[in-house]
Amino acid sequence: MDEYFAAQDGQQMGDPVKAMQVVIDMVESDSAPVRLMLGEDAYQLWESAVASRNRDLSQWRTRGEDTAIPRCREEPCRDALIGKRSGRFRGRWGTA
């Protein structure tokens, strides 16, 4: 294993010193990202994964959105969702 790492030293796609400086800058930042990509290859992989997920989601988006209660698109759905008259779902939003 040590031989492998020694052979890989200097062969990596990115500069580890630059990468660590970006990590330090991120940690010290007031607006640190939730995810940090390091290197062009990381961005290419991320963008490919996001595009794949978006294609997958878009195939069923209309059907998924159609499950909404129609009036809930315009007003809060608390009563429809918690069963106001049934007495179910007490606690989270107070008493039903």
Side-chain angles (χ1 to χ4, degrees):
M1 189 67 96
D2 290 338
E3 292 174 20
Y4 171 78
F5 286 119
Q8 297 302 309
D9 188 29
Q11 304 298 313
Q12 59 270 28
M13 294 178 73
D15 183 333
V17 174
K18 288 181 182 178
M20 285 304 98
Q21 186 59 57
V22 171
V23 171
I24 290 168
D25 293 346
M26 179 198 66
V27 169
E28 293 176 346
S29 172
D30 290 334
S31 59
V34 173
R35 292 172 182 83
L36 178 64
M37 302 291 127
L38 296 174
E40 292 178 24
D41 58 323
Y43 277 96
Q44 291 169 358
L45 289 169
W46 177 261
E47 289 167 356
S48 175
V50 168
S52 175
R53 288 184 182 113
N54 285 338
R55 281 191 304 274
D56 185 47
L57 289 170
S58 69
Q59 292 176 358
W60 286 85
R61 181 176 183 152
T62 302
R63 302 255 337 256
E65 288 177 343
D66 284 346
T67 64
I69 298 169
R71 70 181 186 85
C72 291
R73 293 181 179 164
E74 299 168 8
E75 64 184 77
C77 294
R78 179 181 178 272
D79 293 344
L81 293 175
I82 66 168
K84 184 176 180 180
R85 295 194 176 139
S86 69
R88 294 178 297 169
F89 303 103
R90 293 182 187 271
R92 184 168 182 180
W93 291 287
T95 58

